[in-house]
Amino acid sequence: MQHAVRSRAAIRTGLTPVPRPRTPGVTSLIDADALRVLHRAARTLLDDLPDLTDRLVALLEEQEPAYRAAVTKDPAATWQEAHRSLRHSVASLLDPRGARDAARRCSWRIGAARAEQGLPLDALLHAFRLGGSLVWQRLVEETSRAAPEDVRLLVHVAADVWNFVDEHCTLVADAYRQTEWQIGRRRENRARLLAAGLLDGTGRIADLPEAARALDLPEQGRYVVVALTGGPPARADAARAAAVPPGARVHWHAGPEVDYGIVLVGAREGLTEPAQPGTTASRAPLPGLRIGIGSPVDGLAAVGEARGLADTALRICPAAGGTVRLSDQLPAALVVSSPELGRALAEKVLGPLLRLEPADREVLLDTLTTWLECDGSAQRAGERLYCHRNTVLNRLRRCEQLTGRSLARPADVVEFSLALTARRVLPD
């Protein structure tokens, strides 16, 4: 009587129609007679339980495709499940109080087991309804055979019979959904552990196939890791959407301070790197959002390396927010990868400028930075700084005099550029 769902009208084997339950009223002698008839028929069903089980399994094979596959795969286990359920159901007709807990435990175990196996819930509920309809039909058949005049009394217990079926359908659905939720949690936790292992480089080679399945990413592919932090806490989805273009295959791993996206890139996905091109950090798509995009690597096994590259790009991002692709900021990446050497270079090259009065210092450093960004054009630098080109040249000569370096010498220009980068990207 506990064995799965769909409406009773869906049973296409000519089962006896279920009479409309009477409205509950006062207990009478009719109720006692009805229970007597019910118990007599139920005892016969209990003796014929193997045959009843065979009939239910045949119904399941005929009417429920999901169970048809289960019967084909493991007929003995399916038969035993149906047998246990029917035995507890019929026993509950004879002793509702004594058999109640065992019947409930049986239904709960069936719901949990079928959730673990991935049987659809509607198929499971259909099976319980089929079982209930079959038991009712056999009760009517047995009463008609043994005492046809008593069939009319069964209407007085119909409500109890179908309330039992409804109760166990609810119970099995609860067990199924709770188990399904637990399975989902286990999968999420396992996927999180596998992603964390890939990102920090501690994952085992043997786990790569499982990680590929759990993250829905190919084991062999070209990957970029995107690191993002900051931005409005309530707009995490918007931040991720800003970091990775629509249509990209990506697995997001949330960390305590930084979120990481493992992004599949390549010609097949129509992507190269998930960011807009540019040679400097682009404007933050959300206030305070910082996005670092590493360089591509080959295979999930190299995701740990890609994460390190993304962290380097993130360290280059301005504190106010922005997007940095590592491939566009390699000199800055060199500096942040060795901050001690970067600070030493900045002090050696820019030291005399850094010790000037703040206003004077910032004018000279800003002029030098702008001149380098303008490819050594004093004219364009003057336009950006709103001053004459000669003013730019005078300031540059003063920088040369204070530092003892020449902007006409390529090696000195490289040192100036790296030193200014170190001052920009390294915290004081």
Side-chain angles (χ1 to χ4, degrees), residues 172-237:
V172 78
D174 289 344
Y176 187 101
R177 293 189 181 100
Q178 181 173 321
T179 303
E180 191 175 44
W181 179 84
Q182 292 170 345
I183 292 171
R185 289 286 294 176
R186 288 200 300 268
R187 287 174 179 166
E188 289 175 4
N189 289 337
R190 182 58 179 163
R192 178 173 176 78
L193 289 174
L194 291 168
L198 291 176
L199 288 164
D200 62 22
T202 60
R204 301 182 306 172
I205 296 298
D207 289 336
L208 288 178
E210 181 187 1
R213 291 191 300 271
L215 307 185
D216 192 26
L217 294 170
E219 183 177 345
Q220 301 301 326
R222 196 155 175 79
Y223 289 97
V224 162
V225 170
V226 176
L228 62 87
T229 187
R235 302 192 62 188
D237 290 342

Side-chain angles (χ1 to χ4, degrees), residues 251-288:
H251 176 83
W252 284 102
H253 179 80
E257 296 182 358
V258 179
D259 287 356
Y260 294 97
I262 304 173
V263 187
L264 180 66
V265 297
R268 290 179 58 186
E269 289 71 34
L271 301 170
T272 52
E273 292 184 46
Q276 297 178 353
T279 57
T280 59
S282 61
R283 183 175 58 84
L286 293 173

Side-chain angles (χ1 to χ4, degrees), residues 2 38 42 50 92 94 97 102 141 145 150 167 185 224 239 250 260 298 310-311 315 384 391 393 403 410 420:
Q2 329 148 22
L38 175 66
S92 296
L94 295 168
R97 292 185 179 179
E141 289 175 353
R145 183 192 65 79
D150 289 338
E167 175 192 357
R185 289 286 294 176
V224 162
V250 56
Y260 294 97
D298 292 319
D311 283 338
R315 289 198 295 271
R384 287 180 53 178
T391 303
L393 293 173
T403 61
L420 289 168

Side-chain angles (χ1 to χ4, degrees), residues 283-313:
R283 183 175 58 84
L286 293 173
L289 178 63
R290 300 169 60 228
I291 302 173
I293 301 166
S295 299
V297 298
D298 292 319
L300 285 178
V303 163
E305 174 188 348
R307 180 259 178 95
L309 297 173
D311 283 338
T312 298

Side-chain angles (χ1 to χ4, degrees), residues 2-66:
Q2 329 148 22
H3 232 91
V5 163
R6 213 171 279 172
S7 72
R8 299 165 202 161
I11 303 174
R12 303 186 299 274
T13 55
L15 298 181
T16 304
V18 180
R20 184 185 300 275
R22 65 184 174 88
T23 303
V26 290
T27 304
S28 66
L29 291 177
I30 294 179
D31 296 307
D33 289 340
L35 286 175
R36 174 180 54 79
V37 172
L38 175 66
H39 290 169
R40 183 181 62 202
R43 280 190 290 269
T44 302
L45 262 63
L46 207 54
D47 293 337
D48 295 338
L49 202 56
D51 177 66
L52 189 64
T53 304
D54 289 341
R55 291 180 62 178
L56 177 57
V57 172
L59 278 175
L60 291 174
E61 284 191 275
E62 176 188 347
Q63 297 193 24
E64 185 49 67

